[in-house]
Amino acid sequence: MCSVFRSVLVSISFEWIGTKNRSGADLDDFVDSDPQKISWSEGLKRKLNGGHLAKFAESKLRPSLYRPFTKTNLFFDRVMNERVYVLPSIFPTPDTENENKIICVAGIGNRKGFGCLVTNRICSLDLAFEKNQCFPFYTYDEDGTNRRENITDWALSQFQTHYRDDTITKWDIFHYTYGLLHHLDYRQRYQENLKRDLPHIPFAENFWAFANAGTRLADLHVNYESQPEYDKLNPIETPGMQVDLSVERMKFSKDRTCITYNNFLTLEGIPLEVFDYRLGNRSALEWVVDQYRVKVDKRSGIANDPNRTEDPEYILRLIGQVITVSLETVEIVNSLSALKSLFL
């Protein structure tokens, strides 16, 4: 699990509650510090000491976005998670993932270069850049009711008035913002501002060019698992070996045109343009290759295995899909480069 969501799925005995006041017992003597059972952070100890109860519910089992195009399972709970910030008002229930989207941007003090990514999942604080800040289209009460649009009527009026276009909607403004944040001139012009402040959104000369580009980019990045696989990737199988699609740790060739998938399979023909789509200090494809590997936690000995027995081709398919997403993203961003990012 990611650091911002220090999450474990176990049963906690709350026999401790009230014990300290009666007997003077020390909390650290009471808890079982075995890391294979639970990670006792200071925050979790305070919740135990305060009598907070952790209750299991199927609805709390949520797929989250730990790194770009890298999902991990999460038990989403205010007691068991170290910090949830305002995420319970953005994705309070699984159903809200079907209608809400957030624009994630690098936060103030980020040292990895500006970046942005749209998702419809709970995401980590250090998604690809540091201090991830999330801007949702909708917010809710924590039970999933009282849905509210996060773009104000005033903002909608400003856009409609400026462009003299009453057909502009709030979703159009959301996608316009996402398109503009990818504009290379915008990022270069405001690079110093983006290091110390959250993005400010100017009026571009061509609203619909940015809105349409942002719509397509959002669809690519949210629905990356539904995109077609790159059809020019050439899989090379090692003769005499049994078919094996599981990974231990993938690696790139020195020229980055090949991926050693495992001892059985090598993937050739990776176009170098893929690496132009960067999020933080890595390209999207490099995030996938780095994250989809077997990792063993040194403290607990617990293995994190990304291979899916129910879908053994998932990682192989994902590589082809992320290549497609990266190439189209680069093409869209390059097409925006001819557009003025704002009125001069």
Side-chain angles (χ1 to χ4, degrees):
M1 292 296 176
C2 47
S3 58
V4 68
F5 303 129
R6 188 181 294 253
S7 171
V8 287
L9 187 55
V10 295
S11 296
I12 300 180
S13 169
F14 279 91
E15 298 171 1
W16 162 262
I17 298 172
T19 300
K20 185 173 182 179
N21 291 336
R22 295 194 304 269
S23 64
D26 188 270
L27 179 60
D28 288 325
D29 294 334
F30 173 80
V31 300
D32 186 344
S33 59
D34 185 347
Q36 295 193 39
K37 295 181 179 179
I38 188 168
S39 177
W40 282 101
S41 65
E42 290 303 314
L44 189 57
K45 289 178 183 178
R46 284 195 298 271
K47 291 170 185 175
L48 173 58
N49 212 29
H52 298 279
L53 295 176
K55 298 180 181 179
F56 175 82
E58 284 285 344
S59 61
K60 295 180 180 180
L61 297 174
R62 309 284 290 276
S64 68
L65 198 68
Y66 177 50
R67 293 291 182 262
F69 311 107
T70 305
K71 290 180 181 177
T72 189
N73 292 321
L74 170 71
F75 185 70
F76 191 49
D77 178 81
R78 277 198 177 275
V79 174
M80 302 301 291
N81 298 153
E82 183 68 8
R83 299 178 183 92
V84 298
Y85 300 105
V86 297
L87 284 169
S89 67
I90 297 175
F91 294 116
T93 67
D95 288 341
T96 59
E97 296 168 356
N98 297 323
E99 62 183 14
N100 203 10
K101 293 184 180 69
I102 56 175
I103 297 177
C104 304
V105 301
I108 298 170
N110 164 65
R111 296 164 296 177
K112 296 182 179 179
F114 180 78
C116 61
L117 184 65
V118 159
T119 182
N120 62 343
R121 304 291 180 187
I122 297 166
C123 56
S124 64
L125 180 62
D126 294 319
L127 177 63
F129 20 79
E130 295 175 309
K131 304 175 178 65
N132 176 27
Q133 298 288 303
C134 302
F135 295 89
F137 188 84
Y138 293 120
T139 57
Y140 309 79
D141 289 348
E142 290 196 19
D143 61 358
T145 62
N146 192 24
R147 188 184 77 178
R148 303 172 296 280
E149 293 170 333
N150 205 36
I151 294 176
T152 64
D153 292 338
W154 177 86
L156 176 63
S157 175
Q158 293 295 305
F159 272 85
Q160 291 178 339
T161 300
H162 181 87
Y163 291 106
R164 299 184 177 89
D165 188 346
D166 291 340
T167 69
I168 293 174
T169 68
K170 292 181 180 181
W171 273 113
D172 294 328
I173 296 172
F174 182 89
H175 291 127
Y176 164 89
T177 300
Y178 194 51
L180 187 72
L181 292 176
H182 281 83
H183 193 278
L184 298 179
D185 179 49
Y186 173 85
R187 293 188 179 191
Q188 182 176 6
R189 182 175 302 192
Y190 298 110
Q191 59 181 328
E192 294 304 317
N193 302 75
L194 292 170
K195 291 178 182 178
R196 57 179 181 267
D197 199 2
L198 293 173
H200 292 227
I201 306 302
F203 291 122
E205 190 170 11
N206 189 332
F207 174 85
W208 287 108
F210 283 99
N212 292 334
T215 300
R216 179 54 186 155
L217 287 169
D219 179 63
L220 281 170
H221 300 161
V222 171
N223 302 307
Y224 64 92
E225 292 170 305
S226 301
Q227 303 306 316
E229 298 176 61
Y230 180 62
D231 59 5
K232 296 181 182 178
L233 200 60
N234 184 25
I236 305 297
E237 300 176 2
T238 303
M241 291 195 66
Q242 185 177 355
V243 175
D244 180 11
L245 297 181
S246 64
V247 300
E248 286 286 335
R249 182 166 188 170
M250 297 179 284
K251 61 180 180 180
F252 287 99
S253 61
K254 185 174 292 188
D255 63 2
R256 299 195 297 179
T257 61
C258 300
I259 293 175
T260 301
Y261 187 84
N262 58 20
N263 291 335
F264 166 73
L265 188 63
T266 299
L267 305 175
E268 295 184 346
I270 298 171
L272 293 179
E273 294 84 354
V274 162
F275 301 99
D276 292 336
Y277 177 40
R278 300 185 65 79
L279 292 152
N281 55 11
R282 290 190 177 102
S283 67
L285 185 59
E286 287 172 311
W287 279 116
V288 170
V289 169
D290 176 75
Q291 292 296 309
Y292 281 88
R293 57 187 172 94
V294 177
K295 306 172 190 175
V296 179
D297 182 74
K298 293 181 179 179
R299 289 179 57 206
S300 66
I302 296 174
N304 182 5
D305 189 342
N307 295 291
R308 303 186 178 188
T309 55
E310 76 284 1
D311 186 6
E313 296 182 0
Y314 176 80
I315 299 174
L316 180 60
R317 185 169 64 249
L318 178 64
I319 289 172
Q321 291 167 329
V322 171
I323 291 175
T324 295
V325 168
S326 299
L327 291 175
E328 188 163 349
T329 297
V330 169
E331 182 179 350
I332 293 170
V333 170
N334 288 341
S335 72
L336 288 173
S337 63
L339 299 172
K340 293 182 180 179
S341 60
L342 70 164
F343 284 117
L344 300 177

